[in-house]
């Protein structure tokens, strides 16, 4: 059984989010997703997410290729989460290229190409103007 784990905010869910989850799942037998907490998102991006952490967890949990979700409380805890879920592969978008190579000691680390021309920030901007 190969377990894949990935992390993200997944705010204002869009097709880029869907595609990375589908591609991550295709690398193994089950996909576990760490959804960034509201507090962590504020620290990372300097703004509160549009959808609350409980709404984002609910949405990601309902995606067909996702087997389990949990709240990611800190960026520094990735190794602990990987061990906790016995994950064999960590998937990150290539906006993080190279940043998690030190975790190769506990699992395989794969960076997947982002879907071009879409992001939560862009969707918010599009709706705003
Ligand atoms: N992602 C992707 N393609 C996109 C946007 C996001 O593959 N076009 C991936 C990211 O690489 C990450 C996951 O989706 O692995 C969650 O990304 P997140 O930061 O929540 O989404 P963004 O749309 O990048 O959000 P923002 O604009 O707020 O940075």
């Amino acid at each position: 059984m190969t377990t894949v784990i990935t992390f993200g905010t997944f705010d204002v869910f869009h097709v880029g989010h869907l595609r990375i989850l589908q591609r991550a799942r295709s690398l193994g037998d089950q996909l576990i997703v760490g959804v960034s907490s509201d507090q962590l998102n504020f620290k990372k991006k300097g703004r509160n997410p549009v959808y609350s952490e409980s709404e984002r967890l609910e949405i990601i949990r309902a995606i067909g290729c996702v087997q389990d979700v949990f709240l990611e409380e800190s960026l520094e805890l990735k190794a602990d989460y990987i061990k906790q879920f016995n994950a064999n592969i960590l998937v990150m978008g290539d906006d993080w290229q190279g940043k998690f190579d030190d975790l190769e000691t506990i699992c395989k680390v794969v960076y997947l190409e982002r879907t071009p021309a879409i992001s939560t920030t862009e969707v918010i901007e599009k709706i705003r103007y």
Side-chain angles (χ1 to χ4, degrees):
M1 162 80 89
T2 303
T3 300
V4 184
I5 194 166
T6 194
F7 297 85
T9 305
F10 302 100
D11 189 24
V12 189
F13 194 80
H14 60 68
V15 75
H17 294 150
L18 180 65
R19 288 183 189 156
I20 200 162
L21 293 176
Q22 288 172 330
R23 285 180 296 157
R25 168 68 175 77
S26 74
L27 299 177
D29 305 304
Q30 60 166 356
L31 175 63
I32 315 287
V33 183
V35 175
S36 302
S37 69
D38 291 339
Q39 206 183 11
L40 177 55
N41 192 75
F42 193 83
K43 256 192 249 163
K44 230 175 18 176
K45 304 196 178 181
R47 60 170 160 76
N48 281 316
V50 175
Y51 299 154
S52 69
E53 59 194 28
S54 59
E55 291 167 331
R56 290 180 289 110
L57 280 166
E58 194 177 333
I59 291 165
I60 302 301
R61 189 182 289 116
I63 304 289
C65 61
V66 174
Q67 277 62 57
D68 202 2
V69 293
F70 66 94
L71 203 59
E72 181 192 23
E73 308 264 16
S74 161
L75 292 178
E76 281 76 55
L77 291 176
K78 287 222 169 33
D80 295 302
Y81 295 129
I82 290 165
K83 287 179 199 156
Q84 189 183 326
F85 288 97
N86 284 318
N88 310 98
I89 305 176
L90 166 66
V91 166
M92 296 299 295
D94 64 0
D95 41 330
W96 294 96
Q97 188 69 48
K99 299 252 166 55
F100 295 100
D101 288 357
D102 53 322
L103 295 172
E104 293 270 14
T105 51
I106 53 168
C107 68
K108 189 172 166 189
V109 181
V110 176
Y111 302 95
L112 294 181
E113 205 181 304
R114 283 170 67 92
T115 299
I118 190 160
S119 71
T120 297
T121 309
E122 277 182 50
V123 174
I124 293 171
E125 290 298 305
K126 214 184 265 183
I127 292 167
R128 184 173 284 155
Y129 299 108

